[in-house]
Amino acid sequence: MVIFDVAYEKITSHGWLSKPEARLLWDSALKTQGAMVEIGSYQGRSAMLLGQLGRRLYCVDPWDDRFHSELTGEEIFVQFKKHIADIPSSDIIPVRLRVEDWQPVPAEFVYCDGDHTEAGTRQQIDKALACGPKIIAVHDVKNEGEGLVIK
């Protein structure tokens, strides 16, 4: 079993997941078994962490041009694939769909970090509940873009 500090040091992706947040995410996922789902993956920061648990991880994200002004969706997806390739023992499955078009899969742990509006977060939670999870983690709601970017 990989320990958290070792797993956290392997994360090379930019993103908004601080070390204390990552620790909470890691500890929450450890309370479950089997498949996991991440809704909203961006460049793969949290996927790189969860992927080190050695369980299947479905990453649901459209990787489109809606949420970023500097990079295209395709450029973000390329970065995501590069970052998850850095986790060789992982079983990470990218699902390139908007959450509203995605058919939920059975999973004990679901992490919602996609659309940060209240309506978007509610939609993610509804999809998460359809997975039959033991735990649903939500990163942030009503994000105004003031989060700390970890580089």
Side-chain angles (χ1 to χ4, degrees):
M1 166 71 69
V2 176
I3 61 171
F4 171 76
D5 288 327
V6 173
Y8 189 79
E9 291 303 315
K10 291 183 180 181
I11 299 173
T12 58
S13 172
H14 299 316
W16 293 269
L17 187 69
S18 68
K19 189 170 184 177
E21 292 169 331
R23 181 67 201 221
L24 181 59
L25 182 63
W26 179 267
D27 290 345
S28 298
L30 282 176
K31 294 177 182 177
T32 66
Q33 298 178 5
M36 302 176 290
V37 170
E38 174 182 59
I39 300 172
S41 297
Y42 187 55
Q43 291 188 30
R45 188 168 178 80
S46 50
M48 291 181 79
L49 179 72
L50 293 173
Q52 293 179 71
L53 291 172
R55 295 157 42 192
R56 177 158 289 171
L57 173 62
Y58 296 94
C59 294
V60 181
D61 194 301
W63 288 285
D64 61 17
D65 297 337
R66 293 183 299 155
F67 299 114
H68 205 282
S69 60
E70 297 170 15
L71 300 173
T72 67
E74 192 59 37
E75 290 169 327
I76 296 168
F77 187 54
V78 166
Q79 287 299 308
F80 171 83
K81 290 188 297 185
K82 175 185 170 279
H83 291 133
I84 64 170
D86 291 341
I87 308 298
S89 63
S90 67
D91 186 10
I92 301 174
I93 300 171
V95 179
R96 198 168 182 181
L97 291 171
R98 293 174 61 144
V99 70
E100 55 267 27
D101 299 324
W102 171 65
Q103 293 298 313
V105 296
E108 287 196 14
F109 182 78
V110 180
Y111 177 47
C112 300
D113 191 23
D115 179 340
H116 301 288
T117 65
E118 183 176 343
T121 301
R122 288 177 187 270
Q123 184 175 51
Q124 291 171 68
I125 292 170
D126 287 344
K127 287 286 188 160
L129 287 168
C131 295
K134 290 184 178 179
I135 296 176
I136 297 173
V138 179
H139 186 245
D140 50 359
V141 181
K142 294 186 178 182
N143 183 348
E144 300 296 329
E146 298 175 10
L148 173 65
V149 176
I150 308 299
K151 293 184 181 182

